[in-house]
Amino acid sequence: MKLIDTVRERLPHKYREMAKFLVVGGTAWIIDTGLFTFLSHTILNEKVITSKIISILVSTVVSYVLNREWSFNTRGGRERRHEALLFFVINGLALGLNLVPLAISHYVLGFNIDNYSQSTVSIADFISANIIGTLVGMVFRYWAYRKYVFPDELGHLGDPDSELTPGSEEAELRGLDADRRDRR
């Protein structure tokens, strides 16, 4: 706990948000990669694209909950239904971006079981889907979450560095007090 408090004190708010986003992304990546590896080497070994779609969908649900409640808990501005819909639309677009390197690897460059050994194909799949695709999707997601899903800064309520405090006139005028935020 002391290490977390030290990091919290030394990092400006925008970097804490990005650090939280990266932790959530790392967690989602582990879920995505683990499930993709399991599916593509067992029950869906001939269907790597389907395996990747399933693994991304599962990790996206986990990602929404963690991003909403932790990474971007000082941002919002939308009703939860609208926010969740935008989150999943953006993740649908990011899913497409994430699949592009895997599809190029398999269908354009020919890294498939017909042309290469299973170990070579597994390595190519891992690099294209779980490294290149994930990096492309991550950059897009961070930008889109801040711009569209969680667009409004909620004033870092409870943050000692914040100029806004819960119950202050400015927080109330901006609709940023905790009671109103929780009702959204």
Side-chain angles (χ1 to χ4, degrees):
M1 273 314 229
K2 191 172 186 172
L3 176 64
I4 292 172
D5 291 337
T6 302
V7 170
R8 186 178 299 141
E9 291 169 7
R10 293 189 180 173
L11 277 177
H13 174 72
K14 65 182 176 181
Y15 296 119
R16 285 186 296 217
E17 181 181 87
M18 185 179 291
K20 289 178 181 181
F21 173 79
L22 292 173
V23 168
V24 169
T27 303
W29 184 82
I30 289 169
I31 292 167
D32 175 23
T33 302
L35 189 55
F36 171 71
T37 302
F38 171 75
L39 292 173
S40 66
H41 287 85
T42 58
I43 58 178
L44 295 173
N45 66 340
E46 297 288 323
K47 301 180 186 255
V48 293
I49 302 294
T50 303
S51 297
K52 191 63 179 172
I53 290 170
I54 292 168
S55 69
I56 287 175
L57 290 174
V58 170
S59 68
T60 298
V61 171
V62 171
S63 176
Y64 175 71
V65 172
L66 293 176
N67 275 307
R68 168 71 264 148
E69 299 302 323
W70 190 52
S71 300
F72 296 103
N73 66 342
T74 61
R75 299 182 72 83
R78 302 194 185 283
E79 291 180 16
R80 290 283 168 115
R81 294 174 302 182
H82 191 210
E83 178 184 275
L85 178 64
L86 282 171
F87 186 91
F88 287 101
V89 166
I90 285 168
N91 275 284
L93 295 171
L95 169 65
L97 290 173
N98 194 298
L99 291 175
V100 169
L102 181 60
I104 289 171
S105 172
H106 258 261
Y107 302 116
V108 176
L109 300 177
F111 283 100
N112 55 50
I113 207 80
D114 296 336
N115 301 321
Y116 293 95
S117 69
Q118 180 61 48
S119 60
T120 302
V121 172
S122 292
I123 292 168
D125 288 349
F126 183 84
I127 291 169
S128 61
N130 297 318
I131 296 176
I132 298 169
T134 299
L135 287 173
V136 170
M138 179 182 66
V139 169
F140 172 74
R141 281 181 181 99
Y142 185 73
W143 170 79
Y145 291 170
R146 287 182 53 89
K147 179 134 177 105
Y148 299 109
V149 180
F150 311 112
D152 297 333
E153 187 66 41
L154 295 177
H156 320 303
L157 297 175
D159 184 352
D161 299 335
S162 175
E163 295 176 15
L164 295 179
T165 57
S168 71
E169 186 177 335
E170 186 178 350
E172 225 173 281
L173 287 172
R174 291 178 54 192
L176 303 177
D177 59 359
D179 294 349
R180 292 185 70 187
R181 183 175 164 254
D182 290 340
R183 283 185 260 156
R184 288 188 183 165

